[in-house]
Structures are given as structure tokens and as C-alpha cells.
């Protein structure tokens, strides 16, 4: 048994006073709308935007004015001819689909991103170099042409791969877009006709009944018990009643307007079409979203930064050696070729593909966990996210009303609000509960749709409004077959709920055959129900309702109301059998039965409850240093209650209002710094300057924005981005779509989400589970760390590949490694290992550290580049040179004989070049030896890259802490390296074009001591980093 | 990262960082250079001073030609009989080349007469070396440049000197001396007759006593044996391609990749 004793929260009502200043009489401006505002946002004072949100005044007009304005007749409707004219003028009543980027553009875009640029430049430089060589020597080697072509091929293949990956997720997306053509019942030429909703025009009179979608923005003319679901537009979970009365200045709040694409849940409504297609509210929001530019993803920024570093290194080494070459009396043209060669040698050919594959592997892993990533780069974005702006309805909550609390026998009981209601632990032994459950069951018109015997109760479709549905399911779960109970207690008569009575009543026969009395059951607004009661049931016995019991009732009512819950009161009365015999005929119009002096049984409160996984997920986000902000269109009280229950506002933090309430002082006197949490309404936000907003975002840890409009969501996201935060926005409604697009990463709900939201998002949670975001954060952080490792791994051998060329220029050694051989490393042996690093597990709990700082924690930082280039890269180069020298020495060219041998060595006309032993070599014999040297150097790098791969598994921990064999893919990578190496040397050694030769087995082991040295060196580095955190060693050696 | 108890100490440490890291780099590179030097030293120690460890890439000796004048593709010799300036360079090359074969230059070598391989297991020559056999220019007789300093260029019957590359411990054949054989590469139809060559030494053989070669350190005075080929019937004003092959059991001349292995091809055009 759980009893809930929570404090009573202060009730904030400012949200309902929210008024949008409308721009009356300015018809020209009227539809210029949100999109323009958005585009001009940068130039114009943002203050103005707040006030121009919505210009609509039809809700204030009376029927006659409406008829005049739209040239229509409420009874007869438009004439067909007039309708046709209007249709021609305004176009069909449908949203212009978001501009689809042509597939070819998408495809080409994949080939011009940060990395690809580097490769393109490399390719063109290669061709230029060949051009220069060709112009001076017609028989110039074609190596540069091959290299250039390979670079282009890499770009194209990677582009195709990335395009294919993204197209695949887009296809999954488009399977959601099942658009059912809509029909509308319209009055035209005095006749009711059913026409496709697309053909509606302004001035049409339409009828909509429960279950239908509202076909356009309509001004309600008459309604019978109509309630609409506005949650996708405003974020309110509760059905909103609709009638013809003008109730609010704000068109979004007033009761007499129904919005396009919302659903009429029950009742019927007749209304006049006032806006169609893109000019509807939803159309404006959709265009607002399309006007928002996509932000560059953090990983794209990082890759650009990396490209700058690589380009910087390449160009500076290139120019340095150009100067050296020129001063060494090389011809300027040759020096230029060297310059280009050096620059191109710095291009990491394999990295583009590796990064793309790595990202798509993670995307695949995330898709398995129901995170569908639309944009590959977004995979990492979640990892660097520092603020999550979450919508409430449907994201944090289940978006269905559920019984949350009960009050009877003077006690508040907590009901299980989890997704399956399976765990109802409140005390059901009291006979008060027996009575209450009977009322809940009987005084309810909702029914399950037939043919759902095998569907779990919570998933069954129900005919009836949200709260009746909640009650039906609640009682079905606890009591079993509700329909059977209702059958046993035959309904004699009923009065349905209406807004004037504010109660619902029905009279039933009892299921006790000996009890001939009728049971009258009633539910409704608690204060109205209490008015009708004279007694109250406690522990199954009726007690007179005195002042003290009334007070406990009020306390409970206030408490439940303060939780943001909708409270219903329940009472009953057994009609005396002598006055009301079995044959008595009840008349609901004459009300020939008592409706006072009833017996009050209990209260029941309902809320759209948080998803059960959310609180845990929020806690995890918190511990991962991510601020979770709630941004909702719903009322502040509800928002706050949900925020409290999911932990967005933690249990012990208070808002300024809470403090004021506790200390009983005016809000103004409260020290702002004492409050950890803040609740800001759209109304307050409207009066705020950007500085004030920034201040709120910076100063409060826990923030809830309530009653916000789509634009305000956008402004909040921008505010967060101004704090240098990487912002994730989650949402499902159309109203979220602009913010989803503006965010660094927009996350839409897959099941509940609207198409607009899914279109604008970068990621879709297929199971609508907020907790998947935590998985996403984890994967994103892991991929960032692992990309660091991959890049470090790849950069290392770059130096080992570049050094030979530099030595060749300066010391005149025969070229130690050729272009084609380098390509076989970069695009051959090293590919699988560098992808294998993506499978590496996190070194420490990545969910317990702060998100990376966008501008400080770079993907490729100085220590990474320096350590890769100048430490490991250099050691690797030395090791590979040793293999090279060994091969040459054992064939007769000792190291000292090689120096400055280059010119003679490469001279085709010298066919008796002497080695150390006096042997004479023809050009081809030398060339073959040179290829053996290439193969030796290749093997040297390969062997040391194995060590490099192993050391890159961790950045701080010892390899032995991380586990040498935990990541099996690493070993697949190592095996692939060796196998490819063996195939190249022994299988293709006879293909002269590839420049590989069969290498003696022992040369594979020459570099092994170097490989071991690399491993030991890196272990020592990590040891000192762990031993002396913060020292100069740590700062310079930790990447 | 870790917090230091005293802030000024931390600042001090930070200020000293560049010094530490520079010192570290100096030390690191000194050590790495030392290690590499050590590796090379060890490598040099393991290498045999007399014989290379592997000779797999020198299966068969290369053959070269003097005078060696190269055109676009390979050896190409063009001269005009009546213009001595066009062949002065060519004969000059030969004279320079044969300077190494003067009796003075060969004086440290011994006279050999045997027709067998000159195997030397031990270092019997002075300074712990092995003996080398003399090869003097006069052995080339008509093509020695002594009797005819123009090497027959003037008369249109030029001498070409063919040299076989040295390979340590290489034995060209199983007993018969290797012999040079020159011919037109594609027998020109219009000539109708094969190339006529006069070889010096007679038969165009490399005497077996010049083999095996024991390497520079063991035989510091070794000179490659030579064969001169005097081409007798070169047509005038037409370019002919000639190939000179070394005929011996262990000398191959059919390597498709290496045009200089066991043979030498050249183009010759004698103008009038």
C-alpha cells in the first residue's frame, strides 16, 4: 500500500492569461506570416517576432460578419461556381510538401563535404603534377594519374555508400507516411455533399463528426459536445471542448476555432472554413520549419577542423621541402613536383571511407535499439549534446489520460500509471472501493471497439473521450470484464455529461437479485458533486458530511489539482424501493428522481502520465552532464507536475514561487539565486529580452517552459545555442517541427510523431522511448572517442609514408616506398583495423562525464596530431627504414652506399651500377630491388601498425585494463592486415605493375622489436598520464 | 584534471611546462636516433664483408656496351664516316674506357693462362686479398685502340666493346667459356646476308679464369673481362638493330622485363 503525502503546489495561472496581440485590420500583412519573419529574423528585432505570431481575428466576428467576410451563407453554403473560383484562386486545401531535395543533389552533396574536398584537391594536384612532368618528359610515370584517379574513386565510392545508407533510413521513414485521402462533408448549393478535403475553399460550411480529422481551419458555428485533440498543435493532452462562443483573444486558445489536422474526438461540429492549405495554422508552422536552416553538425565542424590541420601540416611540410629542394639545386619544376607529392602524401585516403563506415555502423547499432538516424553525421551529435529541450506530451508522457490517484476513506492512493497498469497496489479491501469501482464502471459510456479480444487492455481501441477511456481501462484492469458488469447492472436511464450540468448520471438495476432498489451513480466536477451530497462514505459506512470532512475533501482536491491532474468526484444513491418500484419510469427531462442528498464516495484524478522509462533516462542524462529542459505548449501546472515526476525538476529544488509560498513573502522579495528551478510561461517569455532569456538559461539548472508557441520553442533553442551548447530537441507534434529543425539534432517520435516532426528531425525514436536518447548519447560519445582513435591510428602511418619521400629528396636514397604501395596500405591493410576501432568499448563510464565542450574538446587536438606524427609516426618510420636498409644491405647495398645514389639509381642508361661488393646491376635489377624495398617498407609499416592498432584501443587506460581480447573485431582487423599483406607479397608478388615482390619471411620480423617498443612506449605514456593527472605530461600527451 | 594544493605552485608548474616538454623532446629524439644508429650498427655487423647475403636478384649478369650513347629508347649510335667530328666522341669514350685496361692499371693483377675457373679458397694475395687475372687492352687486338686509334670507325667497320657485369661468385657455365654472339636483331631482308663480325679475343670468349669474382674487398684489382666486336658489313645510311648475346649455360637473355640481362641491344646507323 502506498500513500502519497505530497505538499500542495502553488497554482500558477499566468499561462491561461496568455494573449497574443493580434494585428487587426492589416489584411495585407495577414498571411505574410511566419516564414518571412523567420527569414528576416537576423535583421529584425526579435522582439517584434513574438508579437507577430498569429494574425487571425475570425473568432471575434459574429456569424453575420463572417458570412459577409467570406461571401457565403451559413445555411446554403457556397455555390459550386463560387467554390470553383475560390479553388482556382487559393489552390487546393493541402499542405505544400516540404521541398524535396532532388536525389542527384543529395548524391552530389555526399561528395563535397569536408573530407571529400581534401581528396578532390589531392586528386587535382596529382593530375597537375602529371601535367608538369609530361610537359617536360613524355615518358613520365603514370603513378600520379593513378593516384589522382584512386582519390576520385574513393570519394565517389564513399559518396555512393553514404548516399545509400541515408537513402535506406529515408525509405524506412517514408513507410510511415501513409496518407489516407480525406473526405469532407460540405454544404454547397444548399446540399450536403461529400467531397475530397483537398477541394475545400474558404467560406465552405463543413460538418465534422467524432473520429474525423478537421479538414481545414474552421470557425465553429454550432457544436454538439464536440471535443478536439489539439495535442499535436499545442501540446495539451486533454481533449479541448469546442463551441461557437468566443472565449479568448488568442485564436489558439479560443473555443470557437478548430484547426486543420487536429482530430475531432467526439460530438459533431459545423463550421465555416476560414483558412485552407498552407494558410492554416499548421501550414504556417510547417513553413516556419522549412524556413529554418539546418545547422552544421558538430562532427562536420570537427572534420573540417581536422581537414584544416591536415592541410596546414601538408602545406607547411611541402613548402619547407620545396625550399630545401630548391636550395639543394633541384630544378624548380622537380621541386614543384615534390611539393605536390608531399601535399598529396598527407591526404589520408582511407579516412573518409572509414569515418563513413564507422558512423553507419553506429547508426545501424542505434537502429537496432530503435533510434533511426536520418543523417549519418547526427550519430555523433547526440554524444556532444549538452542540452535536451524536450517536448512534454507524447515524448515524456504517454499522451493518454490515465488514472493516477484515488481518494477515498480520507486517504490518497496512488494508482499505477505505467504503460500496462499491471501493478495496482492500493488497498482494494475497503468496501468504499467496492462502491467507488461500481460507479466508475457503470457511470461510463465508453466501450471497447469489438473484435479486440487478443489485444492487451491498454492497447485496445475505445469509443469515448479520453477520461472515460481512462476510467474504462482502469476498471477493466482491476475488475475484469466491465461489459459483463454493466450487463448485470442494466442501465435504466442516463444523463450524459454536458458543460452546463458538469456531471454525468445514470440509474441502474443492481446485480443483487434480492435487492430491488435502483442504484443511481454520478460523476463530475468534484465541487459540483460535493454540493449534491449530504453524506460521505468512509470504510463502507455513510457518515454525515460535516465541515471537517468537507475540509479533508478540499485538501485532497487541491492536492490532486496541484499535481496538474484532472479530478473527478463520484457519488451514488440507492433509490428507496418503496418510492421507486421496479416498474418506475424515469424521465430525464422531468428529472423525476432526486439529485441531491447523495452519498459522496470518492475522488479520482487523471493525468497524462510520464512514460515509465523517462525518469530513469532523465537521471542518466543529468549524470551525463546534460541539462534537460522541458518546453511544452501545455499549462504550467501540468508541465510542472510532469517535470517533477520525471525529475526534470528534482525533488528538492524550488522555484522562486515555491520559495515565496514557503516563506509566505511576495515573489519579488525572493532571492533569485536561491531557486534552482524556474518555470517560464510563453507569456513571460514574450516580454523578455534575449539577454534575460540567456540569463535564465545560464542561471537555472532546471527549467520548464510552458504555454510556448512554436516560435518561442525556436527562440529557446537559439538561446541554448548561444550558450555554446549542442542542443537536442525532442518532439512529436507539428508545433515542434521548427525547433526540431533548428536544433543541432532533432529527435522525433516514431509512433506518435507527426509527419512534419519526423521530416524535420535528424533522428527518429521508433519506439517513442525517451530512454533511447540515453542510448544515443552513449553511442554518440563512444563514436567520438573511437573516431579519435581511428584518426590517430590513420595519421600515424602518414608520417611513416611521408618520411621516405622526404629522405629521398634530401639524402638521395632509392625511393623506399612507392605511391601504389602506400595506396595498398591506406586503402587495403589499414581499412578493416581502423573500422575495428569503432567496436572498442568505452574506457571509463562515458555517461558519468560532462558533454564535450564544442570549442575546447576537439576531435583532433594538438596532442593527438603531435603524438601521432612526432612520436609514434616517427618511431614507425624508423622501424620501417630499418627493414628497408636490411633488405638493401643483404642484397649488397649497405646503407652508406645508398646515400646520394638516387640520380644514378634511377638512370635508365646506367646498367652496370656498382654495389658495395663490386657487383654490377642493370636498371631492371635495381628496379626489382627497389620494389623489394617497397615491399619491405610496407611490411615494416604493417607490422608496426598492428602495434599502433593495439595501443590505440585506449587513450588513458592500460591495454591490460581494457582487455586485449574483448574487442574481437580488432583481431579480425589484425588478421586481415596480415592476410592482405601476405597476399600482396606472395600472391601478387609476380604482378610487376603492383610493385610487390616476394619478401623473405624473416623480413617480417625485423620491425617487430620496434612494434614492441611502440607498445611499451605508449603503455609508459598512459601510465604517467594516470599517475600524474594535470601534469605537463598529461597536458601534452593525452589526446 | 587533478587539483594542486597550492595555486601558485600549479602556475609555476604550468610556466615550466614548455621547458619540460622541450627537454623531453630533445631526450626522446636523442634516444630514438641512438636506437636507430644502434640498429644500423648491428645490421652492419651481421653483414658478410666479402659476399652479399643474398644474390637472388642477380641471377644472370647484365651486359653493357661501349661506346654507350643513348637515344630516346636505349643505345643508339649514329655517326658519319666522312665527318670525324661525329665519331671523335665515340672513340674518345672507348679510349677512356680502355684506360683502365692499360698495363700500368693492371700491374697489380697476375697473368693467367688456364682455361679453367680460377677458384681461390684462401687469401693468398698481399694484404689478405685474392688474386685477380690481368686483362689488358692489347688482348682486344684490332679493337684495342693501340694499332687503330679510330677503332675502325673511319672505315665504317666500328669496334664495340662488350662487358659482362660482375656478380660475386658467379659461374657462367659448366666448363666452356662464355662467348659473345652478335647478330642483326631483325635480319633485314634487303641485306640478304647475316652480320659479319670479327671478335677479339678470338672467338669472342671470356676466359674462364676471370671467374669467379670474389668481390671488391677480396679482389680489389679485378677488372671485368671484355670482348670487342668489329662489325664488318654494316649497310650505310640505314639504321640497323644489333643484339649481342653472351652464350653460356648460366647466362639467360630471355628475361622479358630486363633488356640488358645476358645481352645488349643497340641501334647503329652509319652515314656516308
Amino acid at each position: 500500500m502506498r500513500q502519497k503525502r505530497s505538499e500542495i503546489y502553488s497554482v500558477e495561472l499566468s499561462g491561461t492569461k496568455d494573449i497574443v496581440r493580434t494585428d487587426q485590420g492589416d489584411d495585407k500583412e495577414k498571411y505574410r506570416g511566419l516564414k518571412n519573419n523567420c527569414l528576416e529574423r537576423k535583421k529584425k528585432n526579435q522582439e517584434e517576432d513574438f508579437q507577430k505570431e498569429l494574425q487571425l481575428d475570425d473568432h471575434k466576428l459574429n456569424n453575420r460578419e463572417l458570412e459577409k467576410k467570406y461571401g457565403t451563407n451559413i445555411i446554403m453554403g457556397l455555390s459550386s461556381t463560387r467554390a470553383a473560383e475560390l479553388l482556382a484562386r487559393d489552390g487546393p486545401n493541402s499542405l505544400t510538401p516540404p521541398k524535396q531535395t532532388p536525389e542527384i543533389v543529395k548524391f552530389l552533396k555526399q561528395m563535397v563535404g569536408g573530407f571529400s574536398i581534401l581528396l578532390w584537391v589531392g586528386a587535382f594536384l596529382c593530375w597537375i603534377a602529371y601535367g608538369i612532368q609530361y610537359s617536360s618528359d613524355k615518358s613520365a610515370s603514370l603513378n600520379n594519374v593513378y593516384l589522382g584517379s584512386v582519390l576520385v574513386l574513393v570519394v565517389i565510392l564513399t559518396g555512393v555508400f553514404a548516399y545509400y545508407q541515408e537513402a535506406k533510413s529515408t525509405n524506412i521513414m517514408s513507410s510511415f507516411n501513409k496518407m489516407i485521402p480525406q473526405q469532407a462533408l460540405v454544404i454547397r448549393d444548399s446540399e450536403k455533399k461529400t467531397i475530397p478535403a483537398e477541394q475545400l475553399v474558404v467560406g465552405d460550411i463543413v460538418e465534422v463528426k467524432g473520429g474525423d480529422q478537421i479538414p481545414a481551419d474552421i470557425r465553429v458555428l454550432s457544436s454538439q459536445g464536440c471535443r478536439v485533440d489539439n495535442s499535436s498543435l499545442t501540446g495539451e493532452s486533454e481533449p479541448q471542448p469546442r463551441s461557437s462562443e468566443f472565449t479568448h483573444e488568442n485564436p489558439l486558445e479560443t473555443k470557437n476555432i478548430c484547426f486543420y489536422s487536429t482530430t475531432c474526438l467526439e460530438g459533431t461540429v459545423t463550421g465555416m472554413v476560414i483558412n485552407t492549405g498552407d494558410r492554416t495554422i499548421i501550414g504556417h508552422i510547417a513553413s516556419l520549419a522549412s524556413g529554418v536552416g539546418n545547422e552544421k553538425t558538430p562532427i562536420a565542424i570537427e572534420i573540417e577542423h581536422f581537414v584544416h590541420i591536415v592541410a596546414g601540416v601538408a602545406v607547411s611540410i611541402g613548402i619547407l621541402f620545396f625550399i630545401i629542394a630548391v636550395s639543394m639545386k633541384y630544378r624548380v619544376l622537380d621541386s614543384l613536383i615534390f611539393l605536390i607529392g608531399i601535399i598529396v602524401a598527407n591526404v589520408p585516403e582511407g579516412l573518409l571511407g572509414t569515418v563513413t563506415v564507422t558512423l553507419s555502423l553506429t547508426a545501424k547499432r542505434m537502429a537496432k535499439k530503435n533510434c533511426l538516424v536520418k543523417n549519418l553525421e547526427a550519430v555523433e551529435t547526440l554524444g556532444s549534446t549538452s542540452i535536451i529541450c524536450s517536448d512534454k506530451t507524447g515524448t515524456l508522457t504517454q499522451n493518454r489520460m490515465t488514472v493516477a490517484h484515488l481518494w477515498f476513506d480520507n486517504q490518497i492512493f496512488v494508482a499505477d500509471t505505467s504503460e500496462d497498469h499491471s501493478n495496482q497496489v492500493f488497498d482494494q479491501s475497503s468496501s468504499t472501493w467496492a462502491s467507488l469501482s461500481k460507479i466508475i464502471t457503470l457511470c461510463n459510456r465508453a466501450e471497447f471497439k469489438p473484435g479486440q479480444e487478443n489485444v492487451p487492455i491498454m492497447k485496445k481501441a475505445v469509443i469515448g473521450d479520453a477520461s472515460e477511456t481512462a476510467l474504462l481501462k482502469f476498471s477493466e484492469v482491476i475488475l475484469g470484464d466491465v461489459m459483463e458488469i454493466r450487463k448485470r447492472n442494466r442501465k435504466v436511464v442516463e444523463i450524459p455529461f454536458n458543460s452546463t450540468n458538469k456531471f454525468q448520471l445514470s440509474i441502474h438495476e443492481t446485480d443483487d437479485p434480492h435487492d430491488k432498489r435502483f442504484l443511481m451513480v454520478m460523476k463530475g466536477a468534484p465541487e459540483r458533486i460535493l454540493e449534491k451530497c449530504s453524506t460521505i462514505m468512509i470504510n463502507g459506512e455513510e457518515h454525515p458530511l460535516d465541515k471537517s470532512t468537507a475540509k479533508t475533501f478540499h485538501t485532497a482536491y487541491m492536492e490532486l489539482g496541484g499535481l496538474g491532474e484532472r479530478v473527478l468526484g463520484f457519488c451514488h444513491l440507492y433509490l428507496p424501493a418503496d418510492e421507486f418500484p421496479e416498474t418506475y419510469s424515469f424521465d430525464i427531462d422531468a428529472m423525476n428522481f432526486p439529485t441531491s442528498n447523495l452519498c459522496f464516495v470518492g475522488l479520482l484524478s487523471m493525468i497524462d502520465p510520464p512514460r515509465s522509462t523517462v525518469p530513469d533516462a532523465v537521471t542518466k542524462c543529468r549524470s551525463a552532464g546534460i541539462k534537460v529542459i522541458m518546453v511544452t505548449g501545455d499549462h504550467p501546472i501540468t508541465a510542472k507536475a510532469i517535470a517533477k515526476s520525471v525529475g526534470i525538476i528534482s525533488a528538492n529544488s524550488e522555484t522562486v514561487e515555491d520559495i515565496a509560498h514557503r516563506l509566505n513573502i511576495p515573489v519579488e522579495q525572493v532571492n533569485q539565486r536561491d531557486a534552482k528551478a524556474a518555470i517560464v510561461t510563453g507569456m513571460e517569455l514574450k516580454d523578455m529580452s534575449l539577454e534575460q532569456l540567456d540569463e535564465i538559461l545560464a542561471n537555472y539548472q532546471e527549467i520548464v517552459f510552458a504555454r510556448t508557441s512554436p516560435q518561442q520553442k525556436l527562440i529557446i533553442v537559439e538561446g541554448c545555442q548561444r550558450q555554446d551548447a549542442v542542443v537536442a530537441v525532442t518532439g512529436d507534434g507539428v508545433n515542434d517541427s521548427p525547433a526540431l529543425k533548428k536544433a543541432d539534432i532533432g529527435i522525433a517520435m516514431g509512433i506518435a510523431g507527426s509527419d512534419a516532426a519526423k521530416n524535420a528531425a535528424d533522428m527518429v525514436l521508433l519506439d517513442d522511448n525517451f530512454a533511447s536518447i540515453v542510448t544515443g548519447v552513449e553511442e554518440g560519445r563512444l563514436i567520438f572517442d573511437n573516431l579519435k582513435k581511428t584518426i590517430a591510428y590513420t595519421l600515424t602511418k602518414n608520417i611513416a609514408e611521408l618520411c621516405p619521400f622526404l629522405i629521398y629528396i634530401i639524402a638521395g636514397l632509392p625511393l623506399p616506398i612507392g605511391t601504389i604501395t602506400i595506396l595498398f596500405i591506406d586503402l587495403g591493410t589499414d581499412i578493416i583495423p581502423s573500422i575495428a576501432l569503432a567496436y572498442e568499448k568505452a574506457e571509463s563510464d562515458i555517461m558519468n562525464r560532462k558533454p564535450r565542450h564544442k570549442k575546447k574538446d576537439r576531435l583532433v587536438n594538438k596532442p593527438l596530431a603531435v603524438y601521432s606524427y612526432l612520436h609514434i609516426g616517427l618511431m614507425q618510420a624508423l622501424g620501417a627504414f630499418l627493414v628497408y636498409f636490411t633488405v638493401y644491405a643483404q642484397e649488397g647495398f649497405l646503407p652508406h652506399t645508398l646515400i646520394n645514389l638516387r640520380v644514378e639509381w634511377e638512370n635508365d642508361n646506367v646498367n652496370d651500377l656498382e654495389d658495395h661488393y663490386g657487383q654490377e646491376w642493370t636498371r631492371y635489377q635495381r628496379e626489382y630491388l627497389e620494389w623489394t624495398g617497397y615491399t619491405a617498407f610496407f611490411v615494416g609499416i604493417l607490422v608496426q601498425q598492428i602495434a599502433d592498432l593495439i595501443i590505440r584501443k585506449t587513450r588513458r587506460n592500460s591495454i591490460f585494463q581494457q582487455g586485449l581480447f574483448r574487442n574481437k573485431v580488432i583481431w579480425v582487423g589484425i588478421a586481415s592486415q596480415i592476410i592482405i599483406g601476405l597476399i600482396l607479397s606472395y600472391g601478387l608478388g609476380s604482378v610487376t605493375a603492383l610493385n610487390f615482390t616476394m619478401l623473405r619471411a624473416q623480413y617480417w620480423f625485423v620491425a617487430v622489436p620496434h612494434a614492441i617498443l611502440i607498445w611499451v612506449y605508449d603503455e609508459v605514456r598512459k601510465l604517467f598520464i594516470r599517475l600524474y593527472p594535470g601534469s605537463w605530461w598529461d597536458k601534452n600527451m593525452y589526446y | 584534471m587533478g587539483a594542486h594544493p597550492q595555486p601558485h605552485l600549479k602556475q609555476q608548474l604550468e610556466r615550466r611546462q614548455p621547458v619540460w616538454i622541450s627537454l623531453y623532446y630533445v631526450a626522446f629524439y636523442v634516444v630514438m636516433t641512438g636506437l636507430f644508429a644502434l640498429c644500423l650498427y648491428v645490421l652492419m655487423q651481421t653483414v658478410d664483408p666479402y659476399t652479399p647475403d643474398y644474390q637472388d636478384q642477380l641471377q644472370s649478369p647484365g651486359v653493357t656496351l661501349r661506346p654507350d650513347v643513348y637515344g630516346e629508347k636505349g643505345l643508339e649510335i649514329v655517326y658519319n664516316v666522312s665527318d670525324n667530328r661525329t665519331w671523335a666522341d665515340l672513340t674518345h669514350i672507348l679510349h677512356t674506357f680502355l684506360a683502365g685496361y692499360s698495363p700500368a692499371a693492371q700491374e697489380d693483377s697476375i697473368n693467367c693462362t688456364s682455361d679453367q675457373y680460377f677458384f681461390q679458397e684462401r687469401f693468398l694475395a698481399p694484404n689478405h686479398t685474392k688474386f685477380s687475372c690481368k686483362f689488358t687492352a692489347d688482348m682486344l687486338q684490332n679493337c684495342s685502340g693501340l694499332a687503330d686509334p679510330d677503332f675502325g670507325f673511319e672505315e665504317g667497320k666500328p669496334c664495340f666493346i662488350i662487358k659482362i657485369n660482375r656478380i660475386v661468385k658467379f659461374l657462367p657455365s659448366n666448363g666452356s667459356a662464355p662467348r659473345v654472339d652478335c647478330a642483326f636483331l631483325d635480319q633485314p631482308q634487303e641485306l640478304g646476308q647475316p652480320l659479319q663480325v670479327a671478335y677479339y679475343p678470338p672467338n669472342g670468349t671470356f676466359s674462364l679464369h676471370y671467374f669467379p669474382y670474389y668481390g671488391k674487398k677480396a679482389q680489389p684489382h679485378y677488372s671485368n673481362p671484355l670482348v670487342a666486336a668489329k662489325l664488318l658489313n654494316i649497310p650505310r645510311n640505314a639504321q640497323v638493330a644489333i643484339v649481342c648475346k653472351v652464350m653460356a649455360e648460366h647466362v639467360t637473355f630471355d628475361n622479358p622485363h630486363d633488356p640488358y640481362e645476358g645481352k645488349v641491344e643497340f641501334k647503329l646507323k652509319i652515314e656516308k
Side-chain angles (χ1 to χ4, degrees), chain A residues 68-85:
Chain A
K68 200 172 149 217
K69 180 172 174 187
Y70 291 106
T72 183
N73 184 301
I74 288 174
I75 313 297
M76 318 232 293
L78 288 173
S79 67
S80 302
T81 46
R82 172 81 181 137
E85 274 171 35

Side-chain angles (χ1 to χ4, degrees), chain A residues 169-179 372 749-755 758 764-768:
Chain A
S169 16
T170 315
N171 284 343
I172 301 174
M173 290 295 304
S174 57
S175 66
F176 291 113
N177 300 341
K178 284 187 207 115
M179 288 293 284
L372 185 71
M749 297 292 140
I751 303 169
S754 57
D755 290 343
K758 279 185 241 170
V764 178
L765 301 182
L766 294 178
D767 56 355
D768 286 15

